[in-house]
Amino acid sequence: MKFRGKIVDGACLNHFTRISNMIAKLAKTCTLRISPDKLNFILCDKLANGGVSMWCELEQENFFSEFQMEGFSAENNEIYLELTSENLSRALKTAQNARALKIKLTNKHFPCLTVSVELFSMSSSTRIATHDIPIKVIPRKLWKDLQEPMVPDPDVSIYLPVLKTMKSVVEKMKNISSHLVVEANRDGELNLKIETELVCVTTHFKDLGNPPLASESTSQDRNPEHMAEVHIDIRKLLQFLAGQQVNPTKALCMHRICHSGKKTLLLRVETNETYKRL
């Protein structure tokens, strides 16, 4: 398996760095999936008490001026690597205002993702900072657990308010309760609510708007004013909000009740698509 890529555009480099910083805040370790046209950062947490999964997707042509890869085989032209998110984020911090960034798959007594940063210099010589990030190559038999999650049509889907505003509200609520109730309807209303034996606090957002649903049958039997609700760990929501370092063009929340009766909250933030499930 082979992989090498190069980023020379300053805006693309800064955006890639911000995404890496965001991933590091959301997950200690993650899977990097490399395919001919995309990079994906993946987190699959299957905790019995309701884990967190993440699928971050980047179109390689939006970032890389050079991109070459050879996957596991011609039929399975992909590479799956496990790495420590903070190691990649730390390596990319040296790339701020750099001339170019090169990333390649290497073997230096152990598998590595080598990040080479070409820095500007006052002289004619070139300064290059190189970081070797230890990785684990994930075998083909485990790929089935790392595929893009299937997202069924939600019962309620709503656009989120400004994420900084939402983060400020949730941070204050964290001091009162460890769990949060998220309520939303198809009339553009979103409530963030905490309830304890001593107090009940609710923050209301109105006129947020609802994206169109792929299936019209999903909403035919639902009163637009009826609230769907889900209870979540407030720390997980705050982790998601605190990790946002990109400027989203769209942020939305989707609520779904599975056949098993389990409720799922999907938070989706798009610049190029990234989302995290609670």
Side-chain angles (χ1 to χ4, degrees), residues 2-252:
K2 299 179 182 179
F3 164 66
R4 63 186 305 126
K6 183 176 182 180
I7 303 175
V8 295
D9 183 83
C12 293
L13 181 53
N14 289 335
H15 193 69
F16 189 77
T17 300
R18 289 198 302 271
I19 291 173
S20 173
N21 293 338
M22 179 186 69
I23 300 301
K25 289 181 179 292
L26 296 178
K28 183 177 180 180
T29 61
C30 70
T31 298
L32 173 61
R33 171 183 176 267
I34 304 170
S35 64
D37 55 348
K38 294 178 182 178
L39 292 182
N40 296 101
F41 292 97
I42 307 167
L43 170 65
C44 291
D45 191 349
K46 297 181 179 180
L47 297 177
N49 62 347
V52 175
S53 64
M54 173 188 69
W55 181 270
C56 175
E57 184 171 289
L58 310 177
E59 297 283 349
Q60 65 89 358
E61 63 181 8
N62 293 337
F63 292 89
F64 293 88
S65 59
E66 299 177 16
F67 190 91
Q68 299 174 350
M69 63 88 58
E70 294 181 15
F72 180 81
S73 65
E75 297 77 19
N76 299 284
N77 193 20
E78 299 173 334
I79 302 172
Y80 286 77
L81 310 172
E82 183 181 295
L83 55 87
T84 301
S85 307
E86 181 61 29
N87 288 344
L88 178 60
S89 175
R90 190 182 299 115
L92 292 177
K93 285 181 180 179
T94 61
Q96 295 181 2
N97 302 317
R99 177 178 294 170
L101 171 74
K102 295 180 181 179
I103 305 176
K104 62 181 179 179
L105 191 59
T106 59
N107 190 350
K108 300 184 177 181
H109 304 296
F110 52 87
C112 287
L113 194 65
T114 298
V115 178
S116 299
V117 182
E118 184 177 337
L119 303 169
F120 286 101
S121 175
M122 298 298 293
S123 63
S124 58
S125 60
T126 301
R127 295 186 300 143
I128 297 178
T130 301
H131 306 263
D132 293 322
I133 302 172
I135 59 170
K136 177 183 177 182
V137 179
I138 299 176
R140 173 71 181 86
K141 63 182 180 180
L142 299 180
W143 290 8
K144 63 180 184 299
D145 298 325
L146 298 166
Q147 300 307 302
E148 182 174 5
M150 298 297 294
V151 181
D153 290 336
D155 298 297
V156 173
S157 181
I158 189 170
Y159 291 113
L160 291 175
V162 176
L163 295 184
K164 287 185 178 180
T165 301
M166 190 172 174
K167 174 175 174 286
S168 177
V169 171
V170 175
E171 282 180 333
K172 293 178 174 64
M173 289 182 163
K174 182 191 66 172
N175 298 323
I176 304 174
S177 176
S178 60
H179 286 81
L180 177 76
V181 179
V182 180
E183 298 179 330
N185 63 19
R186 293 202 47 77
D187 202 28
E189 297 175 336
L190 175 72
N191 299 331
L192 303 178
K193 181 169 65 176
I194 53 174
E195 296 177 315
T196 68
E197 294 180 355
L198 300 177
V199 66
C200 176
V201 179
T202 305
T203 300
H204 303 272
F205 297 93
K206 296 184 177 182
D207 302 321
L208 296 177
N210 302 91
L213 296 176
S215 174
E216 291 295 331
S217 61
T218 304
S219 59
Q220 284 180 353
D221 300 328
R222 176 176 288 276
N223 184 337
E225 296 182 358
H226 176 73
M227 286 286 183
E229 70 172 42
V230 63
H231 295 246
I232 63 172
D233 186 330
I234 199 168
R235 293 171 301 174
K236 292 180 179 179
L237 177 59
L238 191 58
Q239 182 186 17
F240 170 81
L241 296 171
Q244 295 305 312
Q245 298 196 14
V246 297
N247 296 318
T249 55
K250 185 188 300 181
L252 53 91

